[in-house]
Amino acid sequence: MNSASDRRAFLKQSSLVALAAAMGTNIVFANKMPKGYVPLLFDEKDALKGKSPEMIVQGDKPWNVESPVHLLDDRITPVDKMFIRNNGLIPETIDVASWTLTIDGESVKAPKTYTLAELKKKFKPYTYQLLLECGGNGRSGFQPQASGNQWGQGAVHCAEWTGVRLKDVLADVGVTGDAVYIGYHGKDQHLSKDPKKESISRGVPISKALEDETIIAWQLNGKDIPEFHGYPLRLVIGGWPASVSGKWLSRISVRNKVHDGAKMEGHSYKMPKSPVSPGEDVPQTDEYFKIIESMPVKSLITFPKSGAMIAPDAELALRGHAWAGDRAIKKMEVSIDFGATWKDCKLEAPANRLAWQHWNVKVKFPSKGYYEVWAKATDDKGNAQPMVIPAWNPGGYLNNACERIAVKVG
């Protein structure tokens, strides 16, 4: 069986004996399983296949899986350490040979459909390292608790994607002058499994869609995109909430208005236009909310792991990454005295626009005892990470407070 979806189809027709044999153990209470039920190990459990055992499961219907920050130490995030944020269920069947991408919408001269093979043959491929971060990364820091997965700081990665530029495909199709937005459509299933419902269908303004780094990708880190990251085709848009990078991509609509698909409504991936009181019930209309676009300035300390213990007089080597949505990082600093003073770090240029930037620094501590290392990035417009969690919002979005780790000396 070539894919997880093939295995699931097989298992749904299998006997309990076959299921137990495949699992390598007996299914306790098998006689109480609902008819036609497929154990999680064989249903959506494939999400964790090939993932680090240290990954944190936030939810399994759909799968939402976070990376502990110390696992994000690689310069290019490997697949086994990449977070998963799904809104629906993966397609039941994935037939690469017959997979197509259709470009349609009010603002195309005429709809056009491409096979995967045609996309690869007709257009020049490009490879970029692109930062994808969930809009709700850091949500667990907000009080009172905001709605949604209670992410720590590990719903972010910067991997290498290969595909064709969306702007080249749109040029081939022909876009009219009234184009305002694009919206994607994928083949993932709604949680209800109602084929008439989409689990998510978001988009970006046409100006973002036409950037060089906005690509229709079929490779991740030099290999086919894994199933749970959108195989065989994914829209990848760096620097904005990862929810605009549609998985299992089958259609892109060029719109003459702001896209109105699933998860574009209410306060999904939106911020209040004006400050609100913690816990305040805000009307979920465009009068009060604006769509999140470029992600804010942020950084991580990926080494050492929080709780590090070092000897007196030892020098501690710190490193991590920083990013700022559409912008670049111009300064990276750390503090060991709760933000009273700051030390500049060595900051590298990004591999390409919209990739994160690596930083490192060595620090010494004046005496034995407990310390916290705080990290603060500043972007090229002078925006710096706040030292405290930013203002509360109903969706728990955009927590970009200074990253910090605990260190004990002595």
Side-chain angles (χ1 to χ4, degrees):
M1 286 169 242
N2 295 326
S3 70
S5 52
D6 291 337
R7 290 193 297 275
R8 282 193 297 275
F10 166 75
L11 289 161
K12 286 178 180 177
Q13 301 175 31
S14 301
S15 66
L16 287 174
V17 174
L19 285 173
M23 295 174 79
T25 187
N26 292 327
I27 302 175
V28 181
F29 300 124
N31 62 326
K32 300 185 183 301
M33 275 175 32
K35 184 178 179 181
Y37 179 77
V38 178
L40 282 175
L41 181 65
F42 294 115
D43 190 10
E44 294 291 309
K45 192 67 176 180
D46 290 296
L48 299 186
K49 184 179 180 181
K51 291 292 182 182
S52 166
E54 294 185 72
M55 297 294 280
I56 302 163
V57 177
Q58 293 282 354
D60 61 5
K61 288 286 184 177
W63 279 105
N64 290 291
V65 183
E66 178 178 0
S67 174
V69 171
H70 69 274
L71 287 189
L72 295 172
D73 195 43
D74 299 88
R75 297 172 73 86
I76 298 175
T77 313
V79 170
D80 66 319
K81 299 173 183 176
M82 290 174 65
F83 83 93
I84 298 172
R85 169 57 172 124
N86 287 344
N87 286 269
L89 307 173
I90 69 168
E92 282 289 345
T93 58
I94 297 175
D95 183 357
V96 177
S98 63
W99 196 278
T100 59
L101 173 67
T102 296
I103 310 296
D104 64 9
E106 303 95 337
S107 298
V108 296
K109 294 178 179 178
K112 192 167 185 177
T113 298
Y114 303 88
T115 65
L116 192 54
E118 286 171 340
L119 284 174
K120 293 179 178 181
K121 183 178 180 180
K122 188 177 182 68
F123 302 101
K124 180 181 177 180
Y126 292 87
T127 298
Y128 298 105
Q129 293 178 30
L130 296 170
L131 188 289
L132 299 186
E133 180 183 14
C134 179
N137 195 27
R139 181 179 287 129
S140 62
F142 287 105
Q143 295 297 328
Q145 182 173 307
S147 60
N149 294 299
Q150 296 304 299
W151 300 108
Q153 294 293 348
V156 61
H157 53 62
C158 187
E160 192 172 76
W161 300 88
T162 298
V164 297
R165 288 173 171 166
L166 174 57
K167 74 175 189 178
D168 291 345
V169 177
L170 295 184
D172 186 64
V173 173
V175 174
T176 58
D178 63 349
V180 171
Y181 230 82
I182 62 106
Y184 68 76
H185 304 272
K187 290 190 177 182
D188 45 332
Q189 304 173 82
H190 190 269
L191 293 177
S192 67
K193 295 196 174 182
D194 183 343
K196 296 180 181 178
K197 294 182 178 180
E198 287 188 293
S199 56
I200 186 168
S201 174
R202 304 200 67 238
V204 296
I206 192 68
S207 58
K208 182 67 176 175
L210 295 177
E211 290 182 353
D212 286 351
E213 301 84 6
T214 296
I215 63 172
I216 299 166
W218 56 78
Q219 279 194 342
L220 169 59
N221 292 346
K223 298 181 179 179
D224 286 348
I225 299 173
E227 190 173 37
F228 275 81
H229 290 287
Y231 177 80
L233 206 59
R234 182 173 183 176
L235 179 64
V236 185
I237 303 176
W240 288 36
S243 58
V244 302
S245 294
K247 302 177 182 179
W248 307 288
L249 184 67
S250 63
R251 183 160 60 97
I252 294 175
S253 299
V254 184
R255 310 297 308 274
N256 62 3
K257 60 181 181 180
V258 174
H259 185 56
D260 53 2
K263 297 296 176 78
M264 291 293 288
E265 72 280 5
H267 68 65
S268 292
Y269 304 102
K270 296 179 182 179
M271 290 287 285
K273 292 181 179 179
S274 302
V276 299
S277 301
E280 182 179 345
D281 186 13
V282 185
Q284 296 186 26
T285 67
D286 290 344
E287 179 183 354
Y288 295 93
F289 284 92
K290 58 184 177 182
I291 298 170
I292 297 170
E293 295 187 341
S294 178
M295 294 292 283
V297 60
K298 198 166 183 178
S299 64
L300 290 178
I301 303 171
T302 58
F303 183 87
K305 185 178 178 179
S306 186
M309 299 179 67
I310 66 170
D313 300 321
E315 198 170 45
L316 178 62
L318 298 153
R319 63 177 177 262
H321 319 291
W323 61 95
D326 284 336
R327 300 189 176 105
I329 300 296
K330 73 170 184 180
K331 180 190 272 190
M332 187 70 211
E333 305 166 279
V334 296
S335 173
I336 64 170
D337 55 12
F338 300 100
T341 61
W342 294 89
K343 180 177 181 178
D344 286 345
C345 304
K346 179 183 177 182
L347 178 66
E348 298 182 30
N352 52 254
R353 182 174 174 269
L354 306 182
W356 62 19
Q357 294 172 238
H358 314 299
W359 62 266
N360 66 82
V361 69
K362 292 181 179 179
V363 297
K364 294 195 73 171
F365 301 90
S367 60
K368 294 181 181 180
Y370 172 85
Y371 295 86
E372 290 185 8
V373 179
W374 292 9
K376 179 175 69 173
T378 302
D379 71 20
D380 57 12
K381 295 292 185 181
N383 300 304
Q385 289 181 262
M387 286 192 286
V388 296
I389 293 173
W392 185 89
N393 64 89
Y397 296 120
L398 308 189
N399 176 6
N400 68 328
C402 288
E403 175 69 5
R404 54 204 76 193
I405 63 168
V407 175
K408 184 177 180 182
V409 179

